[in-house]
Amino acid sequence: MGKSQKKRSQRRYNPVRVLDSYIPKGLASAASSSSKNEAILPIIQKMQSADGAERKWACVAVSNLIQNDASTRRLLQGKDIVGYLITRLSDSEEEVWIEAAGALRNLCIDGGHEICAEMFNKNILAPLKTFVPKMSTILSQFLGSPKTAPEMFQKVVYEFAENVITIFWCLSETSNKALSAINQMNLTAFLMSFLASRDQLPIATATAAAQCLYVLTDDNQPTIDEIRSNVAYSSCLLDIARSGGTTNGKGENSAEGPSVMFKILVAGILRNISPLPPPSTTSAADIDKTIVLPLLEPVLSSVNLLEAISFAQDAVTRESSEPQIGNLSSKHMPKSDHKTPDQFELDRLENKLRIVLLTLEVLTGTCAMLPDPVNLLVDGNNEIIDDDSQDETMDDGPDVQIADVPAPQSSFHPNFLPSLVPPLLALIHPTPLSFPPSGGLSVHPPMTFALGSIHICALECLNNVFLSLGATPNPTLVADKESGRKVWEDIWITLRAVGTDIGPGQETKQDMWDIAVGVLWGVGNIWKGSLVPCEDQVKVLTQLCDTSEDPKIRVKCIGTLECLAQYPDTLDANRSIAEYLLSIISTPATPFPAGTEPLIQALSAIVDIYSDESMPYDVNFRQGQYADRLVASLDSVIKVVRGVDKQKDSDLRLRGEEVRDNLIAFIDYRRKLSL
């Protein structure tokens, strides 16, 4: 049962990305589902026009056409729009390559990894590389003599820099090959210059640089080493995280303003590069305690998802239909800033959701890296306190794999149970806009994508929190059974709202199920024996275990069932769960249909459930002759464990050998009892 880690594939702060898996593949299907077919050919033609104004128009039109429209984006992609736009980056007209960069930036975000991979394969880095020294020179000129350039010109340059940096950011998480190529460009000094000059720059430009650095420092040693080797860089990052972010007045310092996102990104960078090198004495624990958690906790509570989507639905209803493409011409250039008050308000809500999503991602990493709590106590006010003298009286619980993240050497134990769990639980409950309709498009795709991502990240945070708490349970926490039942029920309320009817384009629902069952296991492990096994919940867990193709999901289901089986006063539920686990163990076929890892977990579960013969439900073990059934399967179990390749999966082999030995000792112990 491992802790959730940050995932590159989910780092999409801009909510423009529209899930399009429900759209059939191929140009014909894209053409049939797009309402803008007639606009495609003029764009392609004007992209190659001898008239610079028409080439500029074509670049701008691409951005307008693809907004929240996966079908049209695919249609344009099939016409090699990426190749045309990359060519335009070397255009003789300055305005053309500026608009081309903006269109490519939007395609990166809208199309995700697929389109980013296409850009990389078509060598987009070659023209982009030439822009870096030019932007550095212009930036130095602006900062040295800000009055020498008109404000409008500065605005264009800063927006262009933001677009180019965003492309670097998106490409960096496309593949290791793309990341390696960007590493070779040595962008750290270039990006850090924007952070160092944050007070004189638009907040959006500085934030783009911070986003790119956040990605480049995520388990990417070259950039980490480069920042850590320069004291000025780490000092700059610490100054930003400890201050109000920007002071130029161009940013918004409210709980949902761009300065908040900027600071959260910088806090994430600091976590990525920690521990900071000398002469800094700031440890990873200090960063979490003094910077990360104080910054993140208020953000989690700053949004009410139901209120946000209620307004969003009203605003969408009030909005008129989208502008007609026929109105676009080279004389009437499409402008992205012509928005209604409702559109501006929707943008504000989306931005707030993006900030919450980023907060959850950084928090997930923080919780994954927290040292496993040792000797934690909860006082009368539900505040966690340290007590190093407290005796260890709890058993070790199920033998689960929780050591995949090394625990830093630190005495820092944050009060994250009372302070983080309630707002995290509030963020996992689906709203009417959380999922698109099966095979269709949400009424507001960006909002839907952001909401679904928030639910998933909140569940990942809860997974890590309860794993950390469950590593070394303490009597006071375990005794708070009401809190355990509330969390347990909140998770199930969420899962019932998600449902099991998962259609095309609704992959977020399946992701929520897969992560939530891990949270259930974490909660069950802490409050084992206190959670009443509901028949419907047991049925759902067994069905998920049977239908999932992922052995890790099956392991989580089995672990959760194991916890439920240890409720002392429900003999029928205990028998039902035990029979199910034995059905996994007793299958004569080899390899076991359920998979080796689930088999090992089922064996461990049976041993753990019936390790105490004084429990009321032990009668099921005796009457069902479970010892004989375990003996009958022992030879097959030994063969399966022996069949695990030590070279390919040494951890599973060791785990299997340990459970095998425990099983043999358990059978011998039960036989000697003569019950």
Side-chain angles (χ1 to χ4, degrees):
M1 180 167 60
K3 295 177 182 176
S4 298
Q5 302 298 307
K6 290 183 290 187
K7 299 178 180 178
R8 293 183 183 276
S9 60
Q10 292 184 354
R11 192 179 294 107
R12 278 285 171 266
Y13 310 130
N14 192 313
V16 174
R17 178 74 172 106
V18 180
L19 294 176
D20 55 12
S21 57
Y22 63 89
I23 302 176
K25 300 293 183 181
L27 284 178
S29 61
S32 64
S33 56
S34 173
S35 61
K36 305 167 185 174
N37 294 338
E38 296 180 357
I40 303 300
L41 183 58
I43 288 176
I44 300 299
Q45 291 174 337
K46 292 180 185 296
M47 191 74 70
Q48 306 169 80
S49 171
D51 186 343
E54 291 192 342
R55 298 198 302 273
K56 175 184 175 183
W57 176 91
C59 294
V60 177
V62 170
S63 294
N64 283 267
L65 283 175
I66 67 170
Q67 187 173 16
N68 302 333
D69 191 339
S71 296
T72 302
R73 172 175 50 75
R74 285 192 178 186
L75 194 57
L76 281 165
Q77 190 177 358
K79 300 294 185 181
D80 194 26
I81 195 62
V82 170
Y84 286 118
L85 287 170
I86 291 176
T87 300
R88 296 278 71 82
L89 288 176
S90 303
D91 198 278
S92 58
E93 297 281 344
E94 182 178 276
E95 290 186 343
V96 175
W97 47 259
I98 287 175
E99 295 297 346
L104 286 164
R105 175 262 187 198
N106 291 344
L107 280 169
C108 273
I109 293 174
D110 191 67
H113 290 184
E114 176 189 353
I115 225 165
C116 289
E118 181 183 351
M119 290 181 187
F120 177 74
N121 291 334
K122 291 182 177 178
N123 202 24
I124 190 176
L125 289 181
L128 290 184
K129 189 183 300 184
T130 65
F131 293 136
V132 173
K134 294 178 182 178
M135 286 188 289
S136 296
T137 300
I138 295 175
L139 178 64
S140 298
Q141 292 173 350
F142 284 176
L143 297 178
S145 304
K147 296 182 179 180
T148 58
E151 185 174 345
M152 183 56 66
F153 178 65
Q154 292 187 41
K155 181 176 182 292
V156 170
V157 171
Y158 290 141
E159 288 180 352
F160 176 72
E162 178 187 346
N163 289 334
V164 171
I165 291 170
T166 302
I167 296 173
F168 284 139
W169 153 41
C170 293
L171 291 175
S172 296
E173 36 183 28
T174 300
S175 66
N176 288 333
K177 190 175 182 181
L179 178 61
S180 177
I182 290 175
N183 281 340
Q184 294 175 16
M185 294 177 64
N186 299 317
L187 292 177
T188 303
F190 170 67
L191 296 171
M192 281 300 306
S193 67
F194 288 89
L195 272 62
S197 306
R198 61 196 177 277
D199 294 342
Q200 299 168 266
L201 299 175
I203 183 61
T205 308
T207 299
Q211 286 176 323
C212 193
L213 276 172
Y214 178 50
V215 173
L216 289 175
T217 54
D218 182 11
D219 197 25
N220 179 36
Q221 207 59 44
T223 304
I224 293 173
D225 291 341
E226 194 168 357
I227 294 180
R228 295 183 82 247
S229 65
N230 191 316
V231 176
Y233 292 165
S234 55
S235 297
C236 173
L237 293 169
L238 285 170
D239 288 344
I240 295 171
R242 291 167 173 166
S243 69
T246 59
T247 58
N248 62 354
K250 299 179 182 179
E252 183 183 342
N253 281 310
S254 68
E256 62 193 61
S259 290
V260 175
M261 177 172 279
F262 180 63
K263 285 189 67 176
I264 294 172
L265 285 164
V266 170
I269 296 169
L270 284 168
R271 291 211 76 263
N272 289 343
I273 66 171
S274 64
L276 300 185
S280 174
T281 58
T282 304
S283 66
D286 291 332
I287 290 174
D288 283 329
K289 186 175 182 178
T290 63
I291 295 175
V292 177
L293 289 172
L295 176 63
L296 301 188
E297 289 185 44
V299 176
L300 288 182
S301 304
S302 69
V303 63
N304 184 310
L305 295 185
L306 286 176
E307 289 182 3
I309 66 102
S310 177
F311 177 86
Q313 288 176 313
D314 292 342
V316 170
T317 301
R318 288 192 298 264
E319 275 297 291
S320 59
S321 59
E322 60 184 311
Q324 296 298 311
I325 298 302
N327 293 333
L328 302 182
S329 69
S330 56
K331 295 182 179 180
H332 301 89
M333 297 299 297
K335 300 295 183 181
S336 60
D337 56 352
H338 288 177
K339 297 180 179 180
T340 66
D342 280 332
Q343 289 173 329
F344 276 113
E345 187 63 19
L346 284 170
D347 286 347
R348 185 189 68 80
L349 287 174
E350 291 166 30
N351 183 68
K352 192 167 187 176
L353 294 180
R354 287 200 299 274
I355 291 173
V356 173
L357 181 57
L358 173 62
T359 297
L360 289 169
E361 182 182 327
V362 176
L363 182 61
T364 298
T366 300
C367 293
M369 296 303 292
L370 286 174
D372 291 329
V374 180
N375 302 329
L376 293 183
L377 289 176
V378 181
D379 63 19
N381 297 319
N382 283 333
E383 293 292 330
I384 299 178
I385 58 177
D386 287 331
D387 187 354
D388 294 331
S389 63
Q390 177 67 20
D391 293 331
E392 295 292 335
T393 59
M394 302 303 296
D395 59 30
D396 292 333
D399 186 11
V400 295
Q401 297 177 1
I402 56 175
D404 53 317
V405 179
Q409 297 299 316
S410 169
S411 59
F412 171 43
H413 300 304
N415 301 332
F416 53 82
L417 181 63
S419 60
L420 293 184
V421 171
L424 287 173
L425 287 173
L427 295 175
I428 68 173
H429 294 288
T431 73
L433 276 182
S434 293
F435 313 112
S438 179
L441 198 62
S442 164
V443 296
H444 198 274
M447 194 80 71
T448 294
F449 178 71
L451 287 167
S453 299
I454 284 172
H455 300 325
I456 288 173
C457 282
L459 283 168
E460 289 178 334
C461 287
L462 286 169
N463 177 72
N464 289 352
V465 166
F466 287 113
L467 277 177
S468 293
L469 287 175
T472 311
N474 66 80
T476 307
L477 179 62
V478 174
D480 188 5
K481 299 178 181 180
E482 186 58 34
S483 292
R485 295 189 186 107
K486 182 183 183 305
V487 174
W488 178 266
E489 186 55 31
D490 259 356
I491 304 298
W492 280 105
I493 289 173
T494 296
L495 291 175
R496 285 192 289 270
V498 172
T500 55
D501 183 16
I502 302 174
Q506 296 182 319
E507 291 80 2
T508 301
K509 288 186 175 183
Q510 187 61 57
D511 290 340
M512 289 187 67
W513 273 99
D514 292 348
I515 300 168
V517 72
V519 182
L520 290 172
W521 190 8
V523 174
N525 187 36
I526 294 173
W527 287 282
K528 189 182 298 180
S530 302
L531 302 172
V532 181
C534 171
E535 183 178 352
D536 290 342
Q537 294 172 0
V538 172
K539 183 178 180 181
V540 168
L541 288 168
T542 56
Q543 288 177 341
L544 179 59
C545 188
D546 287 336
T547 58
S548 177
E549 297 180 358
D550 186 343
K552 295 190 181 301
I553 302 302
R554 292 179 173 180
V555 167
K556 293 177 185 179
C557 292
I558 292 168
T560 307
L561 288 168
E562 170 194 335
C563 297
L564 289 175
Q566 297 185 58
Y567 186 74
D569 301 326
T570 311
L571 271 61
D572 289 343
N574 174 275
R575 184 186 309 109
S576 174
I577 293 172
E579 290 290 342
Y580 176 73
L581 296 177
L582 286 167
S583 72
I584 296 175
I585 297 168
S586 304
T587 305
T590 303
F592 286 71
T596 301
E597 201 171 353
L599 164 68
I600 292 172
Q601 186 62 43
L603 288 167
S604 177
I606 285 291
V607 171
D608 194 59
I609 292 168
Y610 295 109
S611 59
D612 185 353
E613 68 276 6
S614 67
M615 297 300 293
Y617 51 71
D618 193 71
V619 64
N620 291 330
F621 186 91
R622 301 191 297 271
Q623 292 180 352
Q625 299 181 322
Y626 292 170
D628 293 339
R629 295 166 68 176
L630 290 172
V631 170
S633 64
L634 189 55
D635 287 344
S636 296
V637 169
I638 292 173
K639 290 180 181 178
V640 169
V641 172
R642 191 180 298 144
V644 178
D645 193 324
K646 289 183 178 180
Q647 301 298 322
K648 294 181 179 179
D649 199 338
S650 59
D651 290 341
L652 182 60
R653 177 63 180 263
L654 290 172
R655 166 85 168 138
E657 291 174 346
E658 180 184 2
V659 171
R660 176 203 60 200
D661 294 344
N662 288 344
L663 175 63
I664 294 172
F666 173 73
I667 292 172
D668 184 58
Y669 171 75
R670 293 296 311 203
R671 281 177 164 175
K672 289 180 180 178
L673 287 176
S674 301
L675 295 176

